[in-house]
Amino acid sequence: MKTSARNQFFGKVTAVTPGAVTTEVEVGLKGGSKIIATVTKTSEETLGIKVGVDVVVLVKAPTVIILTDAAGYRLSARNQLPGTVSKVQKGSVNAEVLVELAGGDTIASSITNESVDALGLAVGSKATAVFKAGAVILGVAG
């Protein structure tokens, strides 16, 4: 599959929590990380989402926020994936930051060069990739 979404993860649905309009879907990745997606009831039914189904998770890099210190704050974003910065590539205005997760998956974020400097991001530094469940797109084969 070819897609413009920079982040593509393959995993299995580990939990499905239906709501009145939307369904919360938990996807387990290798290494134990989990991604939460919120999809419509129609998408749940159309895609055949249920526990055990193999899915691809898509997340566009500009929706991923990089956090280095929560300073005691709790966030409403359901997806908070800790890891280690494996690459920082600055452009003229923005930078691509890659964070390696447990198990070897890597998540990319597109943030400003100013943010890279303010956060002190460098290869080897600890960081958490944060994004909302609504920013996740799920796909299934077939």
Side-chain angles (χ1 to χ4, degrees), residues 4 10 20 34 37 48 52 60 62 75 79 83 89 92 94 108 113 117 121 137:
S4 65
F10 297 92
K34 294 188 184 300
K60 292 189 65 73
L75 304 174
N79 296 294
Q89 182 174 345
S92 58
N94 290 328
N113 291 334
D117 294 339
L121 295 175
I137 298 170

Side-chain angles (χ1 to χ4, degrees), residues 27-102:
V27 178
L29 305 179
K30 62 184 175 185
S33 294
K34 294 188 184 300
I35 292 180
I36 306 296
T38 303
V39 299
T40 63
K41 293 287 289 175
T42 302
S43 290
E44 173 198 354
E45 294 164 4
T46 302
L47 296 173
I49 298 293
K50 60 186 175 196
V51 172
V53 169
D54 290 320
V55 295
V56 61
V57 175
L58 304 175
V59 183
K60 292 189 65 73
T63 67
V64 178
I65 296 166
I66 299 297
L67 182 68
T68 56
D69 179 13
Y73 287 96
R74 292 180 292 177
L75 304 174
S76 64
R78 297 292 307 280
N79 296 294
Q80 300 176 32
L81 305 173
T84 303
V85 175
S86 61
K87 180 180 179 184
V88 176
Q89 182 174 345
K90 287 186 173 182
S92 58
V93 176
N94 290 328
E96 179 182 71
V97 177
L98 301 183
V99 176
E100 186 173 332
L101 309 176

Side-chain angles (χ1 to χ4, degrees), residues 15-29:
V16 178
T17 307
V21 178
T22 60
T23 297
E24 181 180 283
V25 180
E26 180 183 271
V27 178
L29 305 179

Side-chain angles (χ1 to χ4, degrees), residues 125-141:
S125 59
K126 297 295 180 191
T128 300
V130 177
F131 53 97
K132 294 185 70 68
V136 177
I137 298 170
L138 295 179
V140 297

